[in-house]
Amino acid sequence: MDKAFGCMPLYKKRLVQSIRNGRQHIEYKDVSYEDQPIERVKDSRGRPMQFDIWGWDEENTAQDQQYRAEVYSISRGGTPLYLFYCPEVFDVLYPDDKTHRCHGREHRFLQETVFAECVYGLFKSMSVAPDILHLNEGHVAGAAALIKGDRAFDKTAVVYTNHTVVPAGMERFSIDRLTDVIRQELATR
């Protein structure tokens, strides 16, 4: 087993900022991963690894929608980075009401919960209980809750860092939504 590895979503679009005629323009452009040395990760049976994950969003308040996340990997400086590809969830980084019909915060919450489920699913499927789980930024903190909620990870320490210590970088969601996510997660274990 590798001593360290990382996890992140593969986003479908990326934010491109430019200056035209002295004014800032922001647009989203499709991302192509074709020229990247990305490989599909196989499970213990040699099949492509993927997770079917439930997710809450503005159109799926009963939490019956499942999303399929495919798992890929790439080496970054000799360290494996696991990538979760689910384009209907990981469509844009930092969704807002302009990108998601007045439901940007809800979509952000969906991204965070699906990412947390992917990290947890990866650890479980690889039989990995890390000594340290380092999380950076608020949008990945859900993974800590899932990991620490499983006795298999009792010895895993969680280290959290945040380089955006301003209100915009500190995620906040309704306690009702968080309660729904926790209730659903406990029901699936």
Side-chain angles (χ1 to χ4, degrees):
M1 183 67 214
D2 298 298
K3 294 184 184 225
F5 60 88
C7 299
M8 68 177 277
L10 272 179
Y11 287 97
K12 183 178 175 183
K13 294 182 180 280
R14 66 184 175 92
L15 182 69
V16 177
Q17 299 180 41
S18 61
I19 304 293
R20 294 185 208 139
N21 299 322
R23 298 188 57 98
Q24 180 183 26
H25 290 272
I26 298 173
E27 60 186 318
Y28 286 95
K29 293 192 175 183
D30 287 336
V31 176
S32 171
Y33 298 101
E34 291 179 13
D35 61 338
Q36 298 293 316
I38 295 174
E39 298 177 5
R40 191 73 191 267
V41 174
K42 306 286 187 195
D43 66 16
S44 60
R45 296 182 200 142
R47 297 180 303 193
M49 188 180 287
Q50 61 191 28
F51 305 115
D52 291 325
I53 299 167
W54 70 271
W56 186 97
D57 66 24
E58 69 279 1
E59 297 168 1
N60 183 37
T61 56
Q63 292 113 10
D64 56 1
Q65 172 73 37
Q66 287 208 325
Y67 299 93
R68 175 158 290 166
E70 299 172 353
V71 183
Y72 293 83
S73 70
I74 188 169
S75 177
R76 290 292 186 229
T79 301
L81 176 62
Y82 291 93
L83 309 164
F84 307 119
Y85 183 69
C86 184
E88 58 275 335
V89 174
F90 303 127
D91 50 354
V92 297
L93 179 62
Y94 305 124
D96 58 26
D97 290 347
K98 293 177 187 173
T99 61
H100 290 86
R101 304 178 319 275
C102 300
H103 297 288
R105 295 295 300 150
E106 287 83 357
H107 193 77
R108 181 69 173 161
F109 187 72
L110 173 67
Q111 288 180 335
E112 294 177 14
T113 56
V114 168
F115 178 76
E117 290 279 345
C118 286
V119 170
Y120 177 75
L122 181 70
F123 286 177
K124 292 299 275 188
S125 67
M126 294 175 67
S127 299
V128 171
D131 293 330
I132 299 170
L133 174 62
H134 175 222
L135 301 167
N136 184 54
E137 295 293 319
H139 57 271
V140 297
L146 292 179
I147 298 300
K148 294 309 287 182
D150 186 327
R151 296 188 75 62
F153 300 99
D154 279 351
K155 294 182 180 181
T156 299
V158 175
V159 176
Y160 173 79
T161 57
N162 192 327
H163 67 269
T164 313
V165 190
V166 296
M170 306 299 276
E171 300 288 347
R172 291 187 207 147
F173 296 102
S174 140
I175 192 67
D176 293 337
R177 287 189 197 144
L178 293 173
T179 301
D180 287 345
V181 169
I182 292 167
R183 186 177 299 119
Q184 181 68 23
E185 176 58 30
L186 292 174
T188 61
R189 289 190 182 184

